[in-house]
Amino acid sequence: ESCTEKKALETLKSVLQKEEIIFTYKLKKGQALFCNNKFIAHGRNKFFDSNEPDNKKRKLIRLWIQDEQ
């Protein structure tokens, strides 16, 4: 990685950590969140799954939705 690339990544990291642009949301049971990765940078906190049987564990499904343009 070049000096320019390193500086660009440091600048991006600095901007993304600004409190005034961070939105935190905790999903409740039965809720879903959709976002467009072309317009939103997103992350998630560490997740601890249940020790209960499989029917109590989190189910994560990745889905790609494409606009027919």
Side-chain angles (χ1 to χ4, degrees):
E1 113 187 342
S2 72
C3 184
T4 302
E5 291 170 329
K6 188 173 184 175
K7 178 71 174 158
L9 289 173
E10 288 171 0
T11 300
L12 179 61
K13 182 178 179 181
S14 173
V15 169
L16 292 175
Q17 291 178 338
K18 291 185 176 187
E19 290 288 326
E20 62 268 19
I21 66 165
I22 295 175
F23 174 75
T24 303
Y25 189 79
K26 184 171 183 174
L27 293 174
K28 297 174 187 166
K29 184 176 180 177
Q31 290 184 316
L33 178 66
F34 294 86
C35 63
N36 184 335
N37 285 338
K38 292 183 179 181
F39 300 102
I40 296 176
H42 61 87
R44 53 188 70 81
N45 294 329
K46 190 170 185 178
F47 179 81
F48 297 96
D49 210 344
S50 171
N51 289 328
E52 298 293 320
D54 286 343
N55 63 343
K56 297 280 187 180
K57 293 192 179 291
R58 176 175 79 158
K59 308 241 183 324
L60 180 64
I61 300 171
R62 177 174 275 184
L63 175 67
W64 286 269
I65 301 173
Q66 183 172 356
D67 187 9
E68 294 185 34
Q69 290 184 2

